[in-house]
Amino acid sequence: MNSGSGTTRTFEFGRTHVVRPKGIHQATIVWLHGLGDKGSSWSQLLETLPLPNIKWICPTAPTRPVAIFGGYPCTAWFDVGDLSADGPDDLEGLDASAAHVANLLSTEPANIKLGIGGFSMGAATALYSATCNILGKYGNGNLYPVNLSAVVGLSGWLPCSRTLKNQMEGSIQAVRRAASLPILLCHGLGDDVVAHRHGEKSAQALNSVGFRNLTFRTYNGLGHYTIPEETDEVCNWLTARLGLQGTRS
């Protein structure tokens, strides 16, 4: 599947894995893997979660040269020279991945709640998508086509945080949308890949521009991976925020 944000580059996305709901379908969440990973890694984990009302869509990022690896190609949602908000932002790559995710969600039935989640670089892409959602447009100005009900980011960071405040200013609608969009961010204090302070800074940046419905959870001793305590938190949070029945059909 191709998705491009402009005329210069077209990105070839990998295989998409779908976990169908075991109960009544109430929500669909696109879950995004980390740098160098693939969709199937997360679909296997998500399938085990006690969330029978959620359909999970786990796409695979395009394989592209990545600056942090000296240009060596691997699966990545966008190019990155630094796994934090400190490096330059690859807007074209971010827009292409955010558009690919939105396209996956745009075909869901109208009564289904929509969400995006991810780990590491996938979490960064989910948070970028959240900002596109509340601004109503991608970085390139094209309209953002779906309305999100929940965003989850594990061990990630917020891309384009430096320009977000200016984009938000003057748009009452964007501020109103930001205040009502539930976001859950989780980060391990022992993370040596994306430092905890980057996650904390991202939460503060979102909060300062009006994302009031944001929860930031810190896990002592957790590195750059997930643990049952964290996935339990995600399950409980999604059930509450999306109003899931939790019944199996």
Side-chain angles (χ1 to χ4, degrees):
M1 292 176 75
N2 292 332
S3 176
S5 62
T7 52
T8 51
R9 281 192 294 172
T10 302
F11 298 99
E12 190 75 35
F13 287 82
R15 190 174 167 196
T16 297
H17 299 262
V18 177
V19 179
R20 306 216 169 269
K22 298 176 182 74
I24 298 156
H25 184 197
Q26 290 180 275
T28 296
I29 297 175
V30 172
W31 190 271
L32 305 170
H33 63 74
L35 182 61
D37 204 356
K38 54 188 187 295
S40 59
S41 301
W42 281 92
S43 65
Q44 289 164 16
L45 171 67
L46 296 168
E47 200 164 13
T48 67
L49 299 183
L51 293 168
N53 310 114
I54 294 180
K55 172 184 172 182
W56 300 95
I57 302 176
C58 303
T60 299
T63 298
R64 69 177 81 208
V66 178
I68 200 170
F69 296 141
Y72 186 83
C74 71
T75 52
W77 299 110
F78 51 95
D79 191 17
V80 65
D82 187 348
L83 293 183
S84 73
D86 297 339
D89 293 304
D90 172 22
L91 257 184
E92 192 183 8
L94 282 161
D95 275 346
S97 289
H100 184 69
V101 171
N103 289 343
L104 290 171
L105 289 170
S106 66
T107 55
E108 291 300 293
N111 63 328
I112 299 299
K113 290 177 178 174
L114 307 176
I116 304 174
F119 174 78
S120 192
M121 178 184 257
T125 308
L127 288 178
Y128 181 73
S129 297
T131 62
C132 293
N133 176 46
I134 60 100
L135 292 166
K137 60 185 180 183
Y138 299 102
N140 61 20
N142 292 346
L143 289 180
Y144 190 77
V146 293
N147 188 35
L148 302 177
S149 295
V151 174
V152 178
L154 311 182
S155 310
W157 72 94
L158 173 66
C160 306
S161 58
R162 295 181 291 267
T163 56
L164 186 57
K165 193 175 183 188
N166 287 344
Q167 290 176 295
M168 292 282 291
E169 279 172 359
S171 174
I172 295 163
Q173 195 178 15
V175 172
R176 193 181 297 130
R177 277 188 195 148
S180 64
L181 176 61
I183 298 179
L184 173 65
L185 300 181
C186 302
H187 219 113
L189 267 178
D191 196 325
D192 58 353
V193 179
V194 180
H196 178 268
R197 71 175 184 280
H198 293 308
E200 199 169 36
K201 252 171 66 175
S202 298
Q204 289 164 355
L206 287 164
N207 209 283
S208 70
V209 297
F211 285 84
R212 299 275 179 258
N213 199 349
L214 184 147
T215 303
F216 182 73
R217 286 276 181 269
T218 294
Y219 295 86
N220 288 326
L222 177 63
H224 199 64
Y225 46 86
T226 189
I227 51 172
E229 186 189 347
E230 188 179 48
T231 51
D232 287 350
E233 177 107 33
V234 170
C235 290
N236 294 336
W237 186 86
L238 285 172
T239 299
R241 293 300 182 279
L242 297 174
L244 303 177
Q245 294 172 8
T247 54
R248 291 176 183 271
S249 59

